[in-house]
Amino acid sequence: MRGMLILYMALVAALPVAIMATVLPVNSYRAQGIDALDCDGPASVLLFAIPALLVYGVGAILLYQRRNRRLHLVAFLCCALVFCSVGWNAAAALRESYGAASVEACA
């Protein structure tokens, strides 16, 4: 029981990091309406996304193993939802940083 309390506290503590990884734009210029390359945008997203993916991925695995209680099942679904949303933005950041135009301009 004590281990699950520590897991829940870690998930709550990592929530601001996950929110930052989800809401940060991949290209800040495009978010402002300017059609230009942003060489630093993907790195700032990945700076927050990698720890969030690790914490919520491990949390989802551990909570799925103990899904017999309703609270653990709901927490697993929340972890999976956060993991997918952060992963979606991280994948967009990787596509942006390894695109054909950014490889030439940001080298």
Side-chain angles (χ1 to χ4, degrees):
M1 185 66 181
R2 186 176 228 190
M4 295 308 286
L5 180 65
I6 292 172
L7 175 65
Y8 282 123
M9 288 178 14
L11 291 174
V12 169
L15 191 59
V17 175
I19 290 171
M20 288 296 292
T22 304
V23 300
L24 277 176
V26 175
N27 188 335
S28 60
Y29 295 127
R30 197 172 300 138
Q32 297 173 9
I34 303 167
D35 191 27
L37 288 174
D38 184 12
C39 295
D40 296 331
S44 65
V45 171
L46 292 175
L47 178 73
F48 291 105
I50 291 173
L53 287 172
L54 287 173
V55 168
Y56 282 95
V58 169
I61 290 169
L62 292 175
L63 288 168
Y64 184 75
Q65 290 174 349
R66 297 190 180 203
R67 66 187 179 277
N68 54 354
R69 294 188 60 195
R70 187 178 306 263
L71 176 66
H72 297 326
L73 181 64
V74 171
F76 159 72
L77 292 174
C78 291
C79 281
L81 181 67
V82 169
F83 183 84
C84 289
S85 64
V86 170
W88 186 269
N89 204 23
L94 287 174
R95 275 185 304 219
E96 182 78 21
S97 73
Y98 290 117
S102 67
V103 169
E104 295 171 4
C106 297

